[in-house]
Structure formats: structure tokens, C-alpha cells
């Protein structure tokens, strides 16, 4: 069974500071990994995805994530936080197909950006 | 494409009433997912379909919940009878297997309040 653990349900940073949101996964097969963002009263929007190509993945809005198989991690980073980055972020894992494909989400991390 | 379309956006109903949530996936997508989001449980996968066939409904909380996908462009999630603990935001998502990562596209969600 696949699962995702997001460390820290709430992260607070100052504007301009580094953003680091942590995600560890468990999967019995090589995983596909995703980060989604949810703004208030909206659906989830894909930030970036890892699909077994480059281990460093760049996404929208200046975010990137690095797949580390030895650590079973897929942490999300952004060098400099903007006020507009305040939202909830979800890490997700997929087995990538076959006859039993599904996407499993972590509990989410709420990012607050202080002026 | 207009994206995944859900209706209604908001629904308030009395306990014991039947509630039907509707979803139109992105044209051409062959996977459709129903998720429920609450503060306590986060994002839970309720059921997903592949080519209109239910594949995994293990997340459906109980027999009061049912989902159908009569054709490739329409799905419903029905709760009968509804209870206050069913209050949540329900998301529909669709994806196309084979896009190298099976990214899921989410609708705006239906906020259900059962009083």
C-alpha cells in the first residue's frame, strides 16, 4: 500500500525567506510523486510532478522538489517566499498505472507567509 | 477545455434528505475520482472509475453513499439519507493514463452542509 507523510501541518515563514515543505512517501513500486496547491475555496492545482526522469523537478511559481530514493523523500522548496504563496500544499503518491491506479494524498501543510 | 466541472458549488440540506453531487470530467480523460475533504481527515479517496467502470470503492464510508458513471462525460455521487457528519467539501478529479505521471485535474468542489 502506498502512503504519504507530510511533516508539519503548519509552516510559517517571512516574505523573502526559504520555503521548505517536507514529504516522505511509502510505495511498493517506483512511485510517481506530486505536489498540489490549494488556495482558499478552490480546488487543487498541480505544482509539479516526478515521473522517474530527472530527480530535481521544477514547477510553477518558482517551486521545485527533489526526489531522493534513499530517503524516500520528495521535499518542496522555494528560495524566496511571496505573500501569494500562502495556501495549503499537498504531497501525493501514485503507483503510476496498471490496473489499480490511484492517487493518495498527505494530510496537507498550511503555509503562512508573514510580511 | 473548461476543466472539471462540478455542480452545485454549495449545497445545504436537512438531515435525512437525499443529496446528489454532479461531475463532468475533462473530455477524453479515462479516470474519474471522487474525494472528500474535511479538517479532521484531510483528502480521502472515496471511489474511482476507469472507462466508466468502478475500480475501487473501498473509501466509500457506508451504504448511504453511492456513485455512478453512466457515460464518459458524467458522474454522480449520491448520499441517501444524508447526516450532519457528511458535511465536507467533495471534489471530483479526472486524469488520462499514459501522460507520464497520471496528473489529476480537480474541479472546484462542492461544499456540502447537512443541518
Amino acid at each position: 500500500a502506498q502512503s504519504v507523510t507530510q511533516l508539519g501541518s503548519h509552516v510559517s515563514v517571512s516574505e523573502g525567506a526559504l520555503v521548505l515543505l517536507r514529504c516522505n512517501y511509502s510505495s511498493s513500486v517506483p512511485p510517481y510523486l506530486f505536489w498540489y496547491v490549494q488556495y482558499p475555496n478552490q480546488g487543487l492545482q498541480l505544482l509539479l510532478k516526478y515521473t522517474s526522469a530527472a530527480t530535481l523537478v521544477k514547477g510553477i511559481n518558482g517551486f521545485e522538489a527533489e526526489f531522493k530514493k534513499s530517503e524516500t523523500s520528495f521535499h518542496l522548496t522555494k528560495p524566496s517566499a511571496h505573500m501569494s504563496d500562502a495556501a495549503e500544499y499537498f504531497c501525493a503518491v501514485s503507483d503510476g498505472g496498471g490496473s489499480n491506479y490511484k492517487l493518495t494524498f498527505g494530510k496537507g501543510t498550511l503555509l503562512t507567509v508573514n510580511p | 477545455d473548461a476543466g472539471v466541472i462540478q455542480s452545485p458549488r454549495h449545497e445545504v440540506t436537512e438531515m435525512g434528505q437525499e443529496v446528489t453531487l454532479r461531475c463532468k470530467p475533462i473530455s477524453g480523460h479515462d479516470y474519474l475520482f471522487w474525494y472528500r475533504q474535511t479538517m479532521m481527515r484531510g483528502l480521502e479517496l472515496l471511489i474511482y472509475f476507469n472507462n466508466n467502470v468502478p475500480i475501487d470503492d473501498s473509501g466509500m464510508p457506508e451504504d448511504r453513499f453511492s456513485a455512478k458513471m453512466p457515460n464518459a462525460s458524467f458522474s454522480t455521487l449520491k448520499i441517501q439519507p444524508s447526516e450532519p457528519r457528511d458535511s465536507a467539501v467533495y471534489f471530483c478529479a479526472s486524469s488520462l493514463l499514459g501522460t507520464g505521471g497520471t496528473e489529476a485535474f480537480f474541479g472546484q468542489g462542492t461544499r456540502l452542509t447537512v443541518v
Side-chain angles (χ1 to χ4, degrees):
Chain A
Q2 55 195 26
S3 66
V4 170
T5 302
Q6 291 185 241
L7 298 175
S9 59
H10 187 193
V11 170
S12 182
V13 300
S14 298
E15 192 172 19
L18 172 71
V19 175
L20 171 60
L21 305 182
R22 300 178 187 274
C23 172
N24 289 88
Y25 70 91
S26 172
S27 177
S28 58
V29 298
Y32 291 152
L33 294 160
F34 307 80
W35 276 100
Y36 281 83
V37 60
Q38 184 180 30
Y39 297 103
N41 300 313
Q42 294 191 26
L44 279 72
Q45 178 184 354
L46 183 71
L47 271 180
L48 50 81
K49 62 183 181 183
Y50 166 75
T51 59
S52 74
T55 57
L56 182 62
V57 181
K58 294 187 184 299
I60 62 172
N61 302 337
F63 284 93
E64 63 182 36
E66 186 172 9
F67 172 70
K68 292 186 177 180
K69 184 177 179 181
S70 60
E71 299 177 7
T72 61
S73 68
F74 191 57
H75 302 330
L76 182 71
T77 60
K78 182 174 180 177
S80 176
H82 292 170
M83 296 296 291
S84 60
D85 294 328
E88 188 153 24
Y89 293 79
F90 294 89
C91 183
V93 62
S94 158
D95 63 15
S99 61
N100 193 29
Y101 158 72
K102 62 182 179 181
L103 197 59
T104 302
F105 284 88
K107 297 286 190 187
T109 298
L110 181 65
L111 176 66
T112 302
V113 182
N114 304 307
Chain B
D1 200 314
V4 176
I5 299 173
Q6 293 186 245
S7 64
R9 288 293 310 276
H10 302 274
E11 177 80 41
V12 180
T13 191
E14 291 186 349
M15 182 175 63
Q17 296 297 306
E18 177 180 297
V19 175
T20 299
L21 311 182
R22 297 172 174 79
C23 175
K24 176 178 168 54
I26 292 173
S27 177
H29 281 189
D30 54 354
Y31 277 82
L32 184 138
F33 308 86
W34 282 101
Y35 284 89
R36 179 172 67 176
Q37 185 178 38
T38 62
M39 290 291 290
M40 292 295 294
R41 294 175 178 266
L43 272 165
E44 301 175 276
L45 177 64
L46 300 178
I47 185 172
Y48 75 96
F49 296 82
N50 177 215
N51 291 323
N52 313 337
V53 176
I55 302 300
D56 184 350
D57 65 353
S58 59
M60 297 286 261
E62 47 198 276
D63 291 345
R64 297 184 297 106
F65 285 69
S66 63
K68 294 181 179 179
M69 193 166 185
N71 57 62
S73 59
F74 184 65
S75 177
T76 60
L77 178 67
K78 185 177 294 186
I79 309 173
Q80 166 63 20
S82 58
E83 297 183 3
R85 60 194 168 119
D86 301 330
S87 297
V89 181
Y90 291 81
F91 287 103
C92 176
S94 70
S95 72
L96 177 63
L97 186 63
T99 55
T102 54
E103 170 188 351
F105 293 82
F106 281 75
Q108 296 285 300
T110 295
R111 182 174 297 276
L112 174 65
T113 303
V114 183
V115 298

